């Protein structure tokens, strides 16, 4: 913790200097706020609340980042909130360039947004420094949030620090296996499903790998999966872990037989198996899964909306082998809404954070197709699962959430540990170290890093 405080102080000084030296960032934010205000003012005209609203009123700001489609949905949600909450005004601010630094700079200037969107790992430093306020009362005052038939309540723990909750989740994205049905059909192979093993997946990947007489790949069975966001899902699926508790860690538990088994599978895939890119292979295949160059691809379900426009081949998704059997075997990425400790209208800010969990807001946010909604009735709706170009087994993205484990550890040491992790998995990919050596080195160095932050 002492190390983090020192780093934070240094970063604050740097950000203060940047803020004094240039006003371009604030001008952009002001322009965005003005545009957003004009939009929200006009959106209120001619709207009437369906029920009498007697809650907090006034004005707040809401910050987020995202694609054009995400920003459009954010604005729709803001408009819907104001329409159903007379006497309120929400100004949407979009910070697409260096989101965390921009928000922190606003904190330093005493102008922090009231409601702040982010992943748990994004929010954690601000929670630790008192920049965000607990919103446990939102969970306590809305008992329906704990109805497991309506909400995926397993998502909540990622927003809990100590005894308090600090954000409401919009939803989550699990990691799955994307596969090219056309390539498997041409090879006369069956499609993977919940019963497929890692050994069977390896055989299918080998059978669909094509290299020319010089060994140059024309297509490969599996896209590279060594980076932490791609390989940790494989570790989890084998029964391995990185931390004893990804949301409240006290020690690193990476070095285990299950982890070594997962790392062995990865190393074989890129070397002896020859069906995952290694060395110069990636330089010959630059189009990725969407270009039909790989049979299999491990990624988050947020990629589904981008792949929905593929016309050259048929594709689908399946659970990663070994997943959907035990809690924690599925890697998940979360996102939600926190409330600034600087908010001058915290009750309205909390009302907005709660609104984003309601059916109306969840429907709006689901329109992007980038996130699996928190509410199950929305997540399982045809609008979410059966849009044009969606895969046949799209419901897997909802079915596997109860088995989820945070793919990012909730510790300020996480980024530093992942640098160590990716350095050693790169060596593993190059066949320079054994899976056991990789697991032991990551365990040893990351435990030392975590100990330093916990001290």
């Amino acid at each position: 913790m002492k190390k983090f405080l020192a780093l934070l102080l240094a970063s604050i000084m740097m950000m203060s200097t940047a803020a004094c030296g240039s006003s371009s960032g604030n001008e952009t934010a002001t322009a965005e706020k003005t545009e957003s205000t004009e939009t929200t003012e006009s959106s209120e005209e001619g709207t009437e609340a369906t029920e009498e609203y007697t809650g907090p009123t006034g004005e707040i700001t809401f910050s987020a980042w995202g694609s054009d489609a995400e920003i459009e949905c954010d604005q729709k949600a803001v408009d819907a909130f104001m329409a159903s909450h007379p006497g309120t005004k929400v100004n949407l601010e979009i910070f697409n360039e260096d989101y965390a630094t921009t928000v922190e700079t606003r904190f330093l200037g005493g102008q922090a947004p009231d409601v702040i969107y982010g992943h748990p790992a994004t929010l954690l430093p601000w929670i630790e420094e008192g920049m965000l306020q607990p919103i446990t009362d939102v969970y306590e005052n809305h008992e329906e949030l704990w109805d497991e038939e309506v909400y995926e309540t397993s998502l909540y723990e990622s927003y809990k620090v100590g005894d308090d909750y600090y954000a409401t989740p919009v939803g989550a994205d699990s990691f799955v296996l994307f596969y090219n049905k056309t390539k498997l059909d041409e090879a006369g192979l069956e499609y993977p499903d919940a019963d497929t093993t890692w050994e069977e997946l390896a055989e299918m990947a080998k059978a669909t790998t094509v290299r020319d007489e010089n060994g140059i790949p024309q297509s490969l069975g599996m896209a590279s999966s060594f980076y932490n966001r791609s390989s940790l899902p494989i570790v989890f699926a084998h029964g391995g872990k990185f931390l004893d508790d990804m949301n409240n860690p006290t020690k690193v538990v990476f070095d285990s037989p299950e982890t070594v088994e997962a790392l062995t599978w990865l190393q074989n895939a890129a070397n002896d198996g020859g069906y995952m890119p290694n060395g110069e292979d990636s330089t010959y295949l630059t189009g990725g899964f969407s270009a039909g160059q790989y049979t299999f691809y491990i990624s988050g379900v947020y990629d589904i909306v981008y792949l929905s426009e593929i016309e050259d081949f048929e594709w689908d998704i399946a659970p990663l082998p070994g997943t959907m059997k035990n809690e924690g075997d599925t890697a998940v990425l979360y996102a939600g809404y926190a409330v600034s400790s600087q908010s001058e209208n915290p009750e309205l800010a909390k009302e907005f954070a709660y609104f984003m969990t309601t059916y109306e807001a969840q429907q709006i946010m689901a329109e992007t197709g980038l996130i699996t909604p928190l509410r199950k009735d929305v997540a399982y709706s045809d609008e979410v699962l059966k849009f044009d170009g969606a895969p046949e087994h799209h419901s897997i993205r909802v079915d596997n959430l109860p088995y989820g484990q945070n793919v990012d550890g909730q510790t300020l040491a996480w980024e530093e540990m992942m640098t160590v992790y990716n350095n050693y998995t790169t060596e593993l990919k190059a066949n320079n170290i054994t899976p056991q050596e990789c697991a032991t080195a990551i365990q040893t160095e990351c435990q030392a890093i975590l100990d330093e932050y916990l001290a």
Side-chain angles (χ1 to χ4, degrees), residues 1-54:
M1 179 58 72
K2 292 179 181 178
K3 179 178 180 181
F4 171 70
L5 291 174
L7 291 173
L8 180 67
L9 179 60
S11 65
I12 286 175
M13 294 175 64
M14 292 177 62
M15 287 186 289
S16 297
T17 303
C20 294
S22 173
S23 61
S24 60
N26 288 335
E27 289 173 354
T28 301
T30 302
E32 290 170 340
K33 180 174 181 178
T34 302
E35 181 180 355
S36 176
T37 301
E38 293 172 352
T39 303
T40 55
E41 284 177 340
S42 62
S43 69
E44 289 179 307
E45 298 177 2
T47 60
E48 294 181 359
T50 57
E51 297 180 6
E52 183 179 0
Y53 174 65
T54 59

Side-chain angles (χ1 to χ4, degrees), residues 207-281:
T208 54
T209 291
V210 179
R211 295 178 181 270
D212 66 15
E213 63 277 6
N214 297 314
I216 296 175
Q218 308 304 299
S219 68
L220 291 176
M222 176 73 69
S224 184
S225 301
F226 283 83
Y227 177 67
N228 59 283
R229 281 276 179 85
S230 298
S231 55
L232 279 178
I234 297 175
V235 172
F236 293 171
H238 278 82
K241 294 183 177 182
F242 191 88
L243 299 168
D244 57 340
D245 183 342
M246 292 293 278
N247 293 320
N248 187 29
T250 62
K251 61 181 179 179
V252 179
V253 293
F254 189 69
D255 191 355
S256 69
E258 292 82 6
T259 293
V260 172
E261 182 181 356
L263 297 180
T264 300
W265 188 91
L266 270 169
Q267 189 174 56
N268 287 341
N271 292 279
D272 296 341
Y275 53 84
M276 185 183 290
N278 190 10
E280 297 182 356
D281 283 347

